[in-house]
Protein backbone atom coordinates (compact mmCIF):
# COMPACT_ATOMS: atom_id res chain seq x y z
CA UNK A 1 0.00 0.00 0.00
CA UNK A 2 1.25 3.50 -0.83
CA UNK A 3 2.72 5.22 2.19
CA UNK A 4 3.79 2.07 4.07
CA UNK A 5 7.39 1.93 5.31
CA UNK A 6 9.92 -0.02 3.24
CA UNK A 7 10.61 -3.37 4.94
CA UNK A 8 13.93 -5.17 4.64
CA UNK A 9 12.03 -8.49 4.60
CA UNK A 10 10.35 -7.64 1.27
CA UNK A 11 13.09 -7.37 -1.41
CA UNK A 12 10.60 -7.00 -4.28
CA UNK A 13 8.93 -4.15 -2.45
CA UNK A 14 12.27 -2.46 -1.87
CA UNK A 15 13.21 -2.80 -5.52
CA UNK A 16 9.92 -1.26 -6.61
CA UNK A 17 10.29 1.53 -4.05
CA UNK A 18 13.84 2.22 -5.24
CA UNK A 19 12.71 2.29 -8.88
CA UNK A 20 10.11 4.95 -8.05
CA UNK A 21 12.69 6.95 -6.08
CA UNK A 22 15.22 6.84 -8.93
CA UNK A 23 12.55 7.84 -11.46
CA UNK A 24 11.47 10.73 -9.24
CA UNK A 25 15.10 11.81 -8.83
CA UNK A 26 15.70 11.73 -12.59
CA UNK A 27 12.47 13.63 -13.24
CA UNK A 28 13.40 16.35 -10.77
CA UNK A 29 16.70 16.92 -12.53
CA UNK A 30 15.15 16.84 -16.02
CA UNK A 31 12.80 19.67 -15.07
CA UNK A 32 15.54 21.64 -13.32
CA UNK A 33 18.21 21.17 -15.99
CA UNK A 34 15.80 22.19 -18.71
CA UNK A 35 14.59 25.30 -16.94
CA UNK A 36 17.87 26.70 -15.68
CA UNK A 37 19.77 26.94 -19.00
CA UNK A 38 16.55 28.02 -20.73
CA UNK A 39 16.23 30.81 -18.18
CA UNK A 40 19.67 32.00 -19.28
CA UNK A 41 18.64 31.89 -22.94
CA UNK A 42 15.45 33.82 -22.16
CA UNK A 43 17.58 36.43 -20.36
CA UNK A 44 19.81 36.69 -23.44
CA UNK A 45 16.66 37.16 -25.55
CA UNK A 46 15.75 40.06 -23.26
CA UNK A 47 19.27 41.57 -23.69
CA UNK A 48 20.01 41.14 -19.99
CA UNK A 49 23.67 42.17 -19.26
CA UNK A 50 26.09 39.34 -18.46
CA UNK A 51 26.46 40.60 -14.90
CA UNK A 52 22.73 39.95 -14.31
CA UNK A 53 23.05 36.28 -15.26
CA UNK A 54 24.71 35.71 -11.88
CA UNK A 55 21.75 37.34 -10.14
CA UNK A 56 19.35 35.08 -12.03
CA UNK A 57 21.43 32.07 -11.03
CA UNK A 58 21.36 33.16 -7.39
CA UNK A 59 17.55 33.47 -7.47
CA UNK A 60 17.44 29.67 -7.59
CA UNK A 61 19.03 29.53 -4.12
CA UNK A 62 17.62 32.48 -2.18
CA UNK A 63 14.45 30.94 -0.72
CA UNK A 64 15.96 27.45 -0.20
CA UNK A 65 18.79 29.05 1.78
CA UNK A 66 16.21 30.11 4.37
CA UNK A 67 14.03 26.99 4.14
CA UNK A 68 16.55 24.13 3.96
CA UNK A 69 16.80 23.40 7.70
CA UNK A 70 13.02 23.61 8.28
CA UNK A 71 12.55 21.34 5.25
CA UNK A 72 14.95 18.79 6.70
CA UNK A 73 13.13 18.92 10.02
CA UNK A 74 9.79 18.41 8.22
CA UNK A 75 11.16 15.43 6.29
CA UNK A 76 12.35 13.83 9.54
CA UNK A 77 9.05 14.49 11.31
CA UNK A 78 6.36 14.08 8.64
CA UNK A 79 8.03 11.76 6.14
CA UNK A 80 9.82 12.05 2.85
CA UNK A 81 6.81 11.45 0.59
CA UNK A 82 4.90 14.53 1.73
CA UNK A 83 7.99 16.67 1.25
CA UNK A 84 8.53 15.28 -2.26
CA UNK A 85 4.92 15.98 -3.30
CA UNK A 86 5.17 19.56 -2.05
CA UNK A 87 8.42 20.04 -3.98
CA UNK A 88 6.97 18.64 -7.20
CA UNK A 89 3.93 20.94 -6.95
CA UNK A 90 6.27 23.93 -6.60
CA UNK A 91 8.29 22.79 -9.63
CA UNK A 92 5.06 22.71 -11.61
CA UNK A 93 4.25 26.24 -10.42
CA UNK A 94 7.75 27.36 -11.47
CA UNK A 95 7.28 25.95 -14.98
CA UNK A 96 3.97 27.79 -15.35
CA UNK A 97 5.55 31.00 -14.01
CA UNK A 98 8.38 30.86 -16.57
CA UNK A 99 5.83 30.45 -19.35
CA UNK A 100 3.41 33.13 -18.13
CA UNK A 101 5.72 35.72 -16.53
CA UNK A 102 9.17 35.00 -17.97
CA UNK A 103 9.15 37.99 -20.33
CA UNK A 104 10.70 40.30 -17.73
CA UNK A 105 13.65 40.14 -15.35
CA UNK A 106 11.30 40.27 -12.35
CA UNK A 107 9.29 37.36 -13.72
CA UNK A 108 12.42 35.30 -14.32
CA UNK A 109 13.66 35.98 -10.78
CA UNK A 110 10.29 35.03 -9.24
CA UNK A 111 10.11 31.83 -11.28
CA UNK A 112 13.71 31.04 -10.34
CA UNK A 113 12.82 31.31 -6.65
CA UNK A 114 9.91 28.90 -7.12
CA UNK A 115 12.18 26.54 -9.04
CA UNK A 116 14.80 26.54 -6.30
CA UNK A 117 12.23 25.96 -3.55
CA UNK A 118 10.58 23.07 -5.38
CA UNK A 119 13.93 21.49 -6.16
CA UNK A 120 14.85 21.76 -2.48
CA UNK A 121 11.74 19.88 -1.35
CA UNK A 122 12.34 17.07 -3.81
CA UNK A 123 16.04 16.55 -3.11
CA UNK A 124 15.66 16.75 0.70
CA UNK A 125 13.03 14.02 0.48
CA UNK A 126 15.14 11.88 -1.86
CA UNK A 127 18.37 12.15 0.11
CA UNK A 128 16.69 11.51 3.47
CA UNK A 129 14.97 8.45 2.00
CA UNK A 130 18.27 7.02 0.74
CA UNK A 131 20.02 7.76 4.04
CA UNK A 132 17.26 6.17 6.13
CA UNK A 133 16.80 2.98 4.08
CA UNK A 134 20.47 2.04 3.51
CA UNK A 135 22.54 -0.10 5.85
CA UNK A 136 25.79 1.33 7.17
CA UNK A 137 28.66 0.62 4.79
CA UNK A 138 26.42 0.71 1.73
CA UNK A 139 25.91 4.44 1.45
CA UNK A 140 28.59 5.03 -1.19
CA UNK A 141 26.86 2.59 -3.54
CA UNK A 142 23.34 3.77 -2.62
CA UNK A 143 24.10 7.45 -3.08
CA UNK A 144 26.05 6.62 -6.22
CA UNK A 145 22.97 4.98 -7.74
CA UNK A 146 20.73 7.77 -6.51
CA UNK A 147 22.94 10.46 -8.03
CA UNK A 148 23.33 8.30 -11.15
CA UNK A 149 19.60 8.77 -11.67
CA UNK A 150 20.03 12.49 -11.02
CA UNK A 151 22.82 12.62 -13.61
CA UNK A 152 20.57 10.78 -16.06
CA UNK A 153 18.06 13.59 -15.64
CA UNK A 154 20.79 16.21 -15.96
CA UNK A 155 21.95 14.63 -19.22
CA UNK A 156 18.41 14.23 -20.57
CA UNK A 157 17.30 17.74 -19.68
CA UNK A 158 19.46 19.59 -22.22
CA UNK A 159 18.13 17.26 -24.95
CA UNK A 160 15.06 19.52 -25.10
CA UNK A 161 17.33 22.53 -25.58
CA UNK A 162 19.19 20.79 -28.40
CA UNK A 163 15.92 19.60 -29.97
CA UNK A 164 14.31 23.02 -29.98
CA UNK A 165 17.52 24.93 -30.65
CA UNK A 166 19.09 23.14 -33.59
CA UNK A 167 21.35 25.54 -35.46
CA UNK A 168 19.88 28.63 -33.82
CA UNK A 169 21.92 30.63 -31.35
CA UNK A 170 18.87 30.89 -29.06
CA UNK A 171 16.26 28.08 -28.85
CA UNK A 172 12.47 28.48 -28.81
CA UNK A 173 12.18 29.19 -25.08
CA UNK A 174 8.35 29.34 -25.04
CA UNK A 175 8.07 25.80 -26.42
CA UNK A 176 10.62 24.51 -23.92
CA UNK A 177 8.76 26.10 -20.99
CA UNK A 178 5.50 24.61 -22.27
CA UNK A 179 6.89 21.07 -22.51
CA UNK A 180 8.39 21.40 -19.04
CA UNK A 181 4.95 22.12 -17.56
CA UNK A 182 3.82 18.66 -18.67
CA UNK A 183 6.96 16.98 -17.31
CA UNK A 184 6.45 18.66 -13.94
CA UNK A 185 2.89 17.30 -13.69
CA UNK A 186 4.24 13.77 -14.25
CA UNK A 187 6.73 14.43 -11.45
CA UNK A 188 3.86 15.15 -9.04
CA UNK A 189 2.43 11.70 -9.82
CA UNK A 190 5.79 9.99 -9.22
CA UNK A 191 6.21 11.84 -5.92
CA UNK A 192 2.83 10.58 -4.71
CA UNK A 193 4.00 7.01 -5.34
CA UNK A 194 7.08 7.29 -3.11
CA UNK A 195 7.20 5.17 0.04
CA UNK A 196 8.23 6.65 3.35
CA UNK A 197 11.03 5.16 5.43
CA UNK A 198 10.44 3.60 8.86
CA UNK A 199 10.07 6.33 11.47
CA UNK A 200 12.59 6.33 14.37
CA UNK A 201 11.31 5.79 17.89
CA UNK A 202 9.89 9.02 19.34
CA UNK A 203 12.49 8.90 22.11
CA UNK A 204 15.33 8.72 19.55
CA UNK A 205 13.77 11.48 17.46
CA UNK A 206 13.43 13.80 20.44
CA UNK A 207 17.04 13.17 21.43
CA UNK A 208 18.11 14.17 17.95
CA UNK A 209 16.13 17.39 17.73
CA UNK A 210 19.12 19.71 18.17
CA UNK A 211 20.94 20.24 14.88
CA UNK A 212 23.94 21.65 16.76
CA UNK A 213 25.09 18.09 17.33
CA UNK A 214 25.71 17.84 13.59
CA UNK A 215 28.04 20.81 13.67
CA UNK A 216 30.33 18.91 16.03
CA UNK A 217 30.96 16.09 13.58
CA UNK A 218 34.70 15.78 12.75
CA UNK A 219 35.53 17.26 9.38
CA UNK A 220 32.06 18.71 8.80
CA UNK A 221 33.24 22.22 7.75
CA UNK A 222 35.57 20.72 5.15
CA UNK A 223 32.81 18.52 3.75
CA UNK A 224 30.50 21.54 3.51
CA UNK A 225 33.14 23.66 1.75
CA UNK A 226 33.89 20.92 -0.78
CA UNK A 227 30.24 20.17 -1.49
CA UNK A 228 29.39 23.89 -1.72
CA UNK A 229 32.14 24.67 -4.21
CA UNK A 230 31.43 21.66 -6.41
CA UNK A 231 27.70 22.39 -6.64
CA UNK A 232 28.44 26.04 -7.38
CA UNK A 233 30.74 24.87 -10.19
CA UNK A 234 27.89 22.81 -11.67
CA UNK A 235 25.57 25.82 -11.48
CA UNK A 236 28.09 28.19 -13.00
CA UNK A 237 28.66 25.74 -15.84
CA UNK A 238 24.92 25.66 -16.53
CA UNK A 239 24.60 29.45 -16.46
CA UNK A 240 27.82 30.53 -18.16
CA UNK A 241 28.48 27.80 -20.71
CA UNK A 242 25.60 29.15 -22.86
CA UNK A 243 27.08 32.64 -22.43
CA UNK A 244 30.55 31.35 -23.38
CA UNK A 245 29.04 29.68 -26.44
CA UNK A 246 27.38 32.93 -27.47
CA UNK A 247 30.69 34.79 -27.09
CA UNK A 248 32.51 32.19 -29.20
CA UNK A 249 29.77 31.85 -31.83
CA UNK A 250 28.69 28.32 -30.93
CA UNK A 251 25.11 27.23 -31.66
CA UNK A 252 22.67 26.35 -28.88
CA UNK A 253 22.60 22.80 -30.24
CA UNK A 254 26.37 22.51 -29.71
CA UNK A 255 26.13 23.86 -26.17
CA UNK A 256 23.27 21.46 -25.46
CA UNK A 257 25.44 18.57 -26.69
CA UNK A 258 28.34 19.67 -24.45
CA UNK A 259 26.00 19.81 -21.46
CA UNK A 260 24.78 16.31 -22.32
CA UNK A 261 28.41 15.07 -22.36
CA UNK A 262 29.06 16.63 -18.95
CA UNK A 263 25.92 15.10 -17.48
CA UNK A 264 26.54 11.67 -19.01
CA UNK A 265 30.08 11.61 -17.64
CA UNK A 266 28.78 12.38 -14.15
CA UNK A 267 26.26 9.58 -14.60
CA UNK A 268 28.98 7.02 -15.38
CA UNK A 269 31.15 8.08 -12.43
CA UNK A 270 28.21 7.76 -10.04
CA UNK A 271 27.07 4.37 -11.32
CA UNK A 272 30.47 2.89 -10.46
CA UNK A 273 31.01 5.01 -7.33
CA UNK A 274 30.79 2.11 -4.87
CA UNK A 275 33.49 0.16 -6.72
CA UNK A 276 35.68 3.24 -7.12
CA UNK A 277 35.40 4.11 -3.44
CA UNK A 278 36.33 0.59 -2.34
CA UNK A 279 39.27 0.46 -4.76
CA UNK A 280 40.72 3.93 -4.13
CA UNK A 281 39.40 4.95 -0.72
CA UNK A 282 36.75 7.60 -0.08
CA UNK A 283 39.02 10.50 0.85
CA UNK A 284 41.62 9.83 -1.86
CA UNK A 285 38.88 9.55 -4.47
CA UNK A 286 37.31 12.80 -3.27
CA UNK A 287 40.60 14.72 -3.51
CA UNK A 288 41.62 13.37 -6.92
CA UNK A 289 38.16 13.94 -8.43
CA UNK A 290 38.06 17.54 -7.22
CA UNK A 291 41.53 18.21 -8.59
CA UNK A 292 40.63 16.74 -11.98
CA UNK A 293 37.49 18.90 -12.13
CA UNK A 294 39.54 22.01 -11.30
CA UNK A 295 41.98 21.36 -14.15
CA UNK A 296 39.14 20.67 -16.60
CA UNK A 297 37.29 23.84 -15.58
CA UNK A 298 40.50 25.83 -16.10
CA UNK A 299 40.87 24.40 -19.61
CA UNK A 300 37.20 25.14 -20.41
CA UNK A 301 37.88 28.84 -19.89
CA UNK A 302 40.50 28.80 -22.69
CA UNK A 303 39.64 29.16 -26.40
CA UNK A 304 39.63 25.75 -28.07
CA UNK A 305 37.85 23.88 -30.88
CA UNK A 306 34.64 22.01 -30.09
CA UNK A 307 36.27 18.60 -30.62
CA UNK A 308 38.66 19.41 -27.77
CA UNK A 309 35.97 20.90 -25.50
CA UNK A 310 34.10 17.58 -25.54
CA UNK A 311 36.78 15.48 -23.73
CA UNK A 312 37.49 18.38 -21.35
CA UNK A 313 33.83 18.48 -20.31
CA UNK A 314 33.92 14.68 -20.05
CA UNK A 315 36.64 14.99 -17.38
CA UNK A 316 34.81 17.89 -15.72
CA UNK A 317 31.58 15.91 -15.46
CA UNK A 318 33.36 12.83 -14.11
CA UNK A 319 35.12 14.80 -11.38
CA UNK A 320 32.09 16.84 -10.33
CA UNK A 321 29.92 13.73 -10.42
CA UNK A 322 32.02 11.86 -7.86
CA UNK A 323 32.21 14.53 -5.16
CA UNK A 324 28.54 15.19 -4.41
CA UNK A 325 27.47 11.59 -3.57
CA UNK A 326 30.62 11.04 -1.52
CA UNK A 327 29.84 14.02 0.72
CA UNK A 328 26.21 12.81 1.02
CA UNK A 329 27.43 9.35 2.02
CA UNK A 330 29.88 10.74 4.55
CA UNK A 331 27.17 12.82 6.27
CA UNK A 332 24.55 10.03 6.16
CA UNK A 333 26.88 7.61 7.93
CA UNK A 334 27.93 10.23 10.46
CA UNK A 335 24.41 11.41 11.42
CA UNK A 336 22.25 9.43 13.88
CA UNK A 337 18.79 8.06 12.98
CA UNK A 338 16.11 10.72 13.24
CA UNK A 339 18.53 13.47 12.22
CA UNK A 340 19.49 12.42 8.72
CA UNK A 341 16.98 14.66 6.96
CA UNK A 342 18.46 17.61 8.81
CA UNK A 343 21.98 16.38 8.02
CA UNK A 344 21.13 16.48 4.32
CA UNK A 345 19.49 19.89 4.76
CA UNK A 346 22.55 21.27 6.59
CA UNK A 347 24.65 20.21 3.62
CA UNK A 348 22.17 21.94 1.32
CA UNK A 349 22.38 25.13 3.41
CA UNK A 350 26.09 25.20 2.67
CA UNK A 351 25.40 24.47 -0.98
CA UNK A 352 22.75 27.16 -1.27
CA UNK A 353 25.01 29.69 0.46
CA UNK A 354 27.54 29.07 -2.27
CA UNK A 355 24.81 29.31 -4.89
CA UNK A 356 23.78 32.73 -3.58
CA UNK A 357 27.26 34.20 -3.11
CA UNK A 358 29.35 32.62 -5.85
CA UNK A 359 27.12 33.30 -8.89
CA UNK A 360 26.74 36.90 -7.74
CA UNK A 361 30.52 37.20 -7.48
CA UNK A 362 30.74 35.47 -10.86
CA UNK A 363 28.48 38.16 -12.30
CA UNK A 364 30.93 40.83 -11.16
CA UNK A 365 33.78 38.89 -12.79
CA UNK A 366 31.74 38.51 -15.98
CA UNK A 367 31.22 42.25 -16.19
CA UNK A 368 34.99 42.68 -16.61
CA UNK A 369 36.28 39.39 -17.96
CA UNK A 370 33.30 37.72 -19.62
CA UNK A 371 32.15 34.11 -19.22
CA UNK A 372 35.70 32.75 -19.65
CA UNK A 373 36.84 34.75 -16.61
CA UNK A 374 34.02 33.27 -14.53
CA UNK A 375 35.09 29.74 -15.41
CA UNK A 376 38.71 30.57 -14.60
CA UNK A 377 37.81 31.86 -11.12
CA UNK A 378 35.61 28.81 -10.56
CA UNK A 379 38.55 26.54 -11.39
CA UNK A 380 40.59 28.24 -8.67
CA UNK A 381 37.73 27.70 -6.23
CA UNK A 382 37.64 24.00 -7.06
CA UNK A 383 41.34 23.80 -6.36
CA UNK A 384 40.71 25.26 -2.91
CA UNK A 385 37.93 22.71 -2.35
CA UNK A 386 40.37 19.91 -3.17
CA UNK A 387 42.71 21.20 -0.46
CA UNK A 388 39.81 21.33 2.03
CA UNK A 389 38.88 17.74 1.20
CA UNK A 390 42.25 16.56 2.52
CA UNK A 391 41.01 17.29 6.06
CA UNK A 392 38.09 14.86 5.87
CA UNK A 393 38.27 11.60 7.86
CA UNK A 394 39.05 8.72 5.54
CA UNK A 395 36.08 6.58 6.60
CA UNK A 396 33.48 9.24 7.32
CA UNK A 397 33.61 8.75 11.11
Amino acid sequence: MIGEPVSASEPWYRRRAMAVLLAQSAGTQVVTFVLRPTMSYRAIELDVPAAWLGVLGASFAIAPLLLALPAGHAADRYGERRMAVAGAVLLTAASVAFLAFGHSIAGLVAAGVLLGTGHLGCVIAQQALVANTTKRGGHDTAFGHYTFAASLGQAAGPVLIAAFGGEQAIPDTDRIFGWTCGLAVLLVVLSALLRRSPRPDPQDRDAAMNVRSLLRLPGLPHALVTSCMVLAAVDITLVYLPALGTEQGLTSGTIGLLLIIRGASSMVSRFFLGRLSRAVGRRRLLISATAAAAVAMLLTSLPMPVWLMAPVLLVLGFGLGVVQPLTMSWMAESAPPGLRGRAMSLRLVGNRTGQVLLPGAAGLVAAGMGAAGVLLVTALGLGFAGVAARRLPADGT
Side-chain angles (χ1 to χ4, degrees):
M1 184 179 296
I2 294 174
E4 290 181 355
V6 175
S7 171
S9 64
E10 298 177 348
W12 65 270
Y13 189 92
R14 293 178 63 86
R15 287 195 296 270
R16 188 176 67 176
M18 181 57 69
V20 174
L21 171 61
L22 296 181
Q24 203 265 357
S25 171
T28 299
Q29 300 303 328
V30 167
V31 171
T32 303
F33 274 64
V34 168
L35 289 177
R36 298 204 67 199
T38 306
M39 178 175 66
S40 294
Y41 278 119
R42 174 58 64 85
I44 294 170
E45 280 184 313
L46 298 175
D47 294 323
V48 173
W52 274 92
L53 290 177
V55 176
L56 292 176
S59 70
F60 177 78
I62 291 174
L65 179 61
L66 302 176
L67 298 175
L69 286 176
H73 179 88
D76 285 332
R77 184 169 184 179
Y78 300 111
E80 300 89 353
R81 184 167 63 93
R82 292 181 181 178
M83 180 61 61
V85 170
V89 169
L90 286 172
L91 286 178
T92 304
S95 301
V96 174
F98 275 118
L99 184 62
F101 309 112
H103 299 283
S104 67
I105 295 178
L108 289 177
V109 170
V113 171
L114 280 175
L115 176 62
T117 307
H119 182 265
L120 170 71
C122 287
V123 297
I124 284 285
Q126 295 157 6
Q127 293 173 19
L129 194 57
V130 174
N132 285 321
T133 57
T134 302
K135 293 181 179 179
R136 185 173 182 83
H139 282 95
D140 286 352
T141 298
F143 276 108
H145 290 167
Y146 159 67
T147 52
F148 165 82
S151 293
L152 180 61
Q154 292 170 10
V159 170
L160 274 179
I161 299 174
F164 291 118
E167 299 300 318
Q168 304 173 45
I170 299 176
D172 187 339
T173 53
D174 275 331
R175 289 182 67 192
I176 296 175
F177 288 144
W179 274 90
T180 309
C181 290
L183 293 175
V185 172
L186 291 177
L187 185 63
V188 175
V189 176
L190 282 173
S191 301
L193 295 175
L194 285 174
R195 273 69 173 179
R196 64 181 177 88
S197 66
R199 298 291 88 198
D201 293 336
Q203 186 175 13
D204 293 339
R205 187 176 63 222
D206 293 341
M209 291 299 288
N210 197 336
V211 76
R212 287 181 297 178
S213 60
L214 287 174
L215 298 175
R216 302 189 185 100
L217 294 175
L220 177 67
H222 308 294
L224 293 178
V225 167
T226 303
S227 179
C228 164
M229 191 62 236
V230 168
L231 186 61
V234 173
D235 285 352
I236 286 171
T237 302
L238 284 174
V239 173
Y240 282 97
L241 195 60
L244 182 69
T246 302
E247 291 177 3
Q248 297 184 358
L250 301 178
T251 67
S252 61
T254 299
I255 294 299
L257 178 60
L258 292 173
L259 289 173
I260 291 170
I261 290 172
R262 189 210 63 79
S265 179
S266 292
M267 181 173 60
V268 171
S269 70
R270 290 168 171 178
F271 186 80
F272 295 104
L273 182 63
R275 297 179 185 179
L276 288 171
S277 180
R278 288 189 293 270
V280 180
R282 182 182 293 170
R283 184 174 59 183
R284 185 179 299 174
L285 179 60
L286 191 64
I287 294 169
S288 59
T290 308
V295 172
M297 183 71 78
L298 176 64
L299 294 175
T300 304
S301 69
L302 304 176
M304 68 180 74
V306 174
W307 65 265
L308 187 55
M309 286 187 71
V312 169
L313 283 171
L314 191 74
V315 173
L316 178 64
F318 193 94
L320 296 178
V322 163
V323 177
Q324 290 296 86
L326 283 182
T327 56
M328 292 179 197
S329 176
W330 182 85
M331 295 195 73
E333 292 189 356
S334 299
L339 198 55
R340 287 171 180 153
R342 273 157 285 185
M344 296 298 106
S345 68
L346 182 61
R347 174 183 162 277
L348 286 173
V349 167
N351 289 349
R352 293 298 192 260
T353 300
Q355 286 178 300
V356 169
L357 298 179
L358 295 175
L364 295 177
V365 173
M369 302 174 61
V374 173
L375 298 177
L376 174 61
V377 172
T378 304
L380 297 177
L382 283 172
F384 174 76
V387 173
R390 298 179 62 187
R391 303 292 299 275
L392 281 174
D395 59 356
T397 59

